[in-house]
Amino acid sequence: MIEPVNTPAAGAATPAAASKQDAASKGFEQLLVQQLAQAMLKTAGDTGNQYASLLPNALADAVEQGGGLGLDLGLGQVGS
């Protein structure tokens, strides 16, 4: 039998680890919004516009500046 990995208690996370978790969650949200915007552009039809390629990044940045989507996926807590 494989022994379980010993992980620190959930409350024992260091500030640096919490910051890493926040960065991972924000990065995931930004990637998700960018991909959603790219999918929306495909359905818009006129993607030949020179500014259309700027939309995914601009939308992702605006969502992040507005506080994000509110997805707390606990990405840094996998295995704990």
Side-chain angles (χ1 to χ4, degrees):
M1 182 171 142
I2 298 174
E3 294 297 319
V5 176
N6 292 331
T7 57
T14 63
S19 176
K20 249 184 175 177
Q21 293 171 4
D22 289 344
S25 292
K26 287 179 183 179
F28 176 77
E29 276 189 0
Q30 187 170 26
L31 181 64
L32 178 65
V33 171
Q34 286 175 350
Q35 290 185 355
L36 287 172
Q38 288 171 353
M40 288 189 314
L41 277 177
K42 288 180 185 176
T43 63
D46 183 23
T47 56
N49 185 337
Q50 64 184 7
Y51 299 110
S53 64
L54 301 175
L55 178 64
N57 288 336
L59 182 60
D61 290 343
V63 168
E64 183 181 349
Q65 288 174 359
L69 296 174
L71 298 176
D72 184 8
L73 302 174
L75 294 175
Q77 300 173 0
V78 174
S80 54

